[in-house]
Amino acid sequence: MDVTFLLNGETVQVDADPTRTLLDWLREDRALCGTKEGCNEGDCGACTVLVTDDDGVKSLNACILFLPQLHGRAVRTIEGIGGPDGALHPVQQAMVDHHGSQCGFCTPGFVAAMAAGHMRGRTDHDDVLAGNLCRCTGYAPIIRAAEAAQSQPVPDWMIDTPPKVGPAVFAPENLDALAKWYAAHPDATLVAGATDVGLWVTKQLRDLSDVVFLNRCKELLEVKEDAQTLYFGAAVTMTTVLEKVAAFHPSYAEMIRRYGSEHVRNAATIGGNIANGSPIGDNPPALIALGATLHLRHDSKTRELPLEEFFIDYGSQDRGPGELVTGVTLPKSAPDLRCYKISKRFDQDISAVCGCFNITVTDGLITEARIAFGGMAGTPLRAKAVEALLVGKPWSQETITQAAAGFAVDYAPMSDMRASAEYRLHVAQNLLHRYFGEREGHATNVLEVTS
């Protein structure tokens, strides 16, 4: 595959293997070894680079970023963050001044992430750096360095203009071409952000011989809204979803803020999180609780269905050969929606349980209930027994207590390294009580408890 992009200000053309990662290419072919390999799964941030496209600059994990995804983009590694005359970038100088490095293995990734945040004027440094791990220095001096640099101007040399490139067969630019190609190649792998598929290559060592990339398909990148609904194309990143839903569904947005890291959200797509059918994907429980509609296409034929009907069984979804997810529609108004992500780490962790509640109360009676969970079954699944025990009953602690018993009917969770089955069931019951308490104005967020 012929790939053209800007690397530290220089235009490069690469005949790329479709699943060659940027990290491997940088270190092995270009001898740019400042970008480090730590986890090789997008979890530690040692491989962080800056990537610029039409939406501006963003931080990404080079270890799970395939070279064809860079076609028509600009990349800066740690070697390109300092000035051409040897001048330090403000975040580099601040790291020196505030003693932000010890062993130095993680430092290039921290500096790259900080430089991306600096270019975007970000001051929420904990979020910007949540995808970068350090086991030597500790985070306090690194955060102090980010704070010290935030008011400094962006150096001129950091401004990249992505190169103009022609169409690429491996990355269709319109949905008609993509749908026709995929219908003819139903066994091909669709790659959007590669935050999941990337691990098939780096961890499972799969050979993905037939691959097509979605990140240049205009229709899949669309975000549309009308008076009642929001529509996200399947290739819209979770960063964009977070920015858009925050005004309408703040609890959902707060859950997305804990979805991977900044670097992961800049690549991961809403369509990929749905289409991979994971029972622990964080978007489906929220979207099911919202009553979202999924859009699919096979060649020229389109169809839609309630999102909850897409998931059939573990590893099985209602998607035919050569059919792709094109987008999802959700309501803009759901004031009673609350989403709760339970995981061992607060940031950047896979959910043990993810529960979303959307319960309508009218004149003291529960008139409608939509409750969905991930991590409780082989698919994201509604709690219909619990819903039935709620609807028509008074909005009271007694009703909540009685309905919580229904979770044992709805779910038979498994035990794994993240949680036991007993724990998961108990958490689901507790989250219903938490939802009631939060709706009643009680203090329920453990992060806000003060002595």
Side-chain angles (χ1 to χ4, degrees):
M1 294 179 175
D2 293 325
V3 179
T4 300
F5 59 96
L6 209 64
L7 175 64
N8 294 332
E10 172 194 354
T11 299
V12 295
Q13 293 181 304
V14 183
D15 182 11
D17 181 291
T19 57
R20 183 85 183 278
T21 66
L22 173 62
L23 175 64
D24 286 349
W25 180 81
L26 288 171
R27 296 179 62 84
E28 296 169 3
D29 290 28
R30 301 290 292 199
L32 294 174
C33 297
T35 305
K36 299 293 189 278
E37 178 180 320
C39 64
N40 217 18
E41 60 185 36
D43 206 36
C44 75
C47 67
T48 308
V49 296
L50 288 78
V51 176
T52 301
D53 57 19
D54 292 341
D55 293 328
V57 67
K58 60 196 72 177
S59 56
L60 291 172
N61 294 303
C63 69
I64 50 172
L65 187 62
F66 297 138
L67 285 170
Q69 294 175 270
L70 298 171
H71 190 57
R73 291 173 154 183
V75 178
R76 276 198 181 264
T77 68
I78 187 64
E79 292 85 355
I81 291 177
D85 59 354
L88 294 181
H89 187 287
V91 301
Q92 292 176 313
Q93 186 62 58
M95 286 285 277
V96 173
D97 295 342
H98 292 271
H99 310 286
S101 177
Q102 287 191 47
C103 86
F105 187 88
C106 70
T107 305
F110 269 100
V111 169
M114 291 164 71
H118 181 259
M119 289 188 72
R120 298 184 74 98
R122 298 279 294 274
T123 57
D124 52 337
H125 305 301
D126 286 348
D127 284 353
V128 169
L129 299 176
N132 295 82
L133 303 182
C134 176
R135 290 295 177 262
C136 296
T137 309
Y139 299 100
I142 297 173
I143 295 298
R144 285 196 289 268
E147 291 171 345
Q150 68 188 29
S151 61
Q152 299 298 311
V154 174
D156 293 341
W157 66 78
M158 291 294 294
I159 308 301
D160 286 323
T161 301
K164 299 294 183 183
V165 296
V169 174
F170 58 83
E173 299 199 357
N174 65 76
L175 187 53
D176 287 342
L178 172 62
K180 183 176 181 179
W181 186 92
Y182 190 43
H185 302 82
D187 294 326
T189 299
L190 303 178
V191 181
T195 54
D196 189 11
V197 175
L199 273 67
W200 298 0
V201 174
T202 64
K203 295 299 182 180
Q204 299 176 15
L205 306 181
R206 291 197 208 176
D207 179 16
L208 307 179
S209 56
D210 217 359
V211 177
V212 66
F213 294 87
L214 311 184
N215 61 303
R216 295 181 65 86
C217 183
K218 295 179 177 62
E219 292 93 334
L220 296 187
L221 297 169
E222 289 180 338
V223 178
K224 297 184 286 191
E225 67 175 290
D226 57 28
Q228 285 80 39
T229 65
L230 289 172
Y231 170 85
F232 294 108
V236 172
T237 68
M238 291 309 303
T239 293
T240 300
V241 174
L242 169 58
E243 292 169 353
K244 194 64 181 179
V245 304
F248 304 103
H249 306 302
S251 181
Y252 180 23
E254 176 60 17
M255 185 266 287
I256 296 174
R257 190 176 68 85
R258 297 174 55 203
Y259 178 116
S261 66
E262 176 96 0
H263 321 326
V264 168
R265 292 193 298 273
N266 284 338
T269 65
I270 190 168
N273 191 240
I274 295 168
N276 70 9
S278 171
I280 49 174
D282 286 335
N283 280 299
L287 295 172
I288 291 171
L290 284 166
T293 298
L294 192 66
H295 305 271
L296 302 101
R297 177 167 172 171
H298 179 272
D299 201 352
S300 60
K301 297 180 180 178
T302 63
R303 68 184 178 108
E304 59 184 44
L305 73 163
L307 178 66
E308 63 199 82
E309 296 179 8
F310 178 68
F311 305 103
I312 299 171
D313 203 347
Y314 180 75
S316 176
Q317 298 85 46
D318 185 1
R319 184 169 70 91
E323 185 177 36
L324 69 150
V325 172
T326 58
V328 61
T329 299
L330 56 144
K332 290 169 75 172
S333 177
D336 302 318
L337 177 72
R338 302 291 187 277
C339 299
Y340 306 109
K341 177 182 172 76
I342 307 300
S343 56
K344 290 185 176 181
R345 296 195 310 265
F346 182 81
D347 287 308
Q348 201 185 354
D349 200 4
I350 296 171
S351 293
V353 176
C354 181
C356 296
F357 300 78
N358 189 9
I359 299 174
T360 303
V361 179
T362 306
D363 296 329
L365 287 179
I366 300 170
T367 55
E368 186 177 2
R370 295 185 66 90
I371 301 170
F373 273 81
M376 294 289 288
T379 68
L381 192 65
R382 280 181 72 176
K384 292 188 175 181
V386 175
E387 293 173 359
L389 290 169
L390 290 170
V391 174
K393 304 292 177 53
W395 176 247
S396 66
Q397 184 64 66
E398 181 182 3
T399 297
I400 296 300
T401 300
Q402 292 174 350
F407 283 114
V409 177
D410 286 311
Y411 303 118
M414 65 179 291
S415 295
D416 60 19
M417 62 184 296
R418 283 180 291 276
S420 68
E422 182 182 14
Y423 173 84
R424 284 186 160 106
L425 193 58
H426 195 55
V427 164
Q429 295 168 339
N430 284 349
L431 288 180
L432 179 59
H433 287 282
R434 177 176 174 178
Y435 177 79
F436 177 79
E438 185 173 338
R439 289 279 302 272
E440 290 295 292
H442 301 155
T444 61
N445 188 343
V446 295
L447 298 179
E448 297 176 358
V449 172
T450 57
S451 59

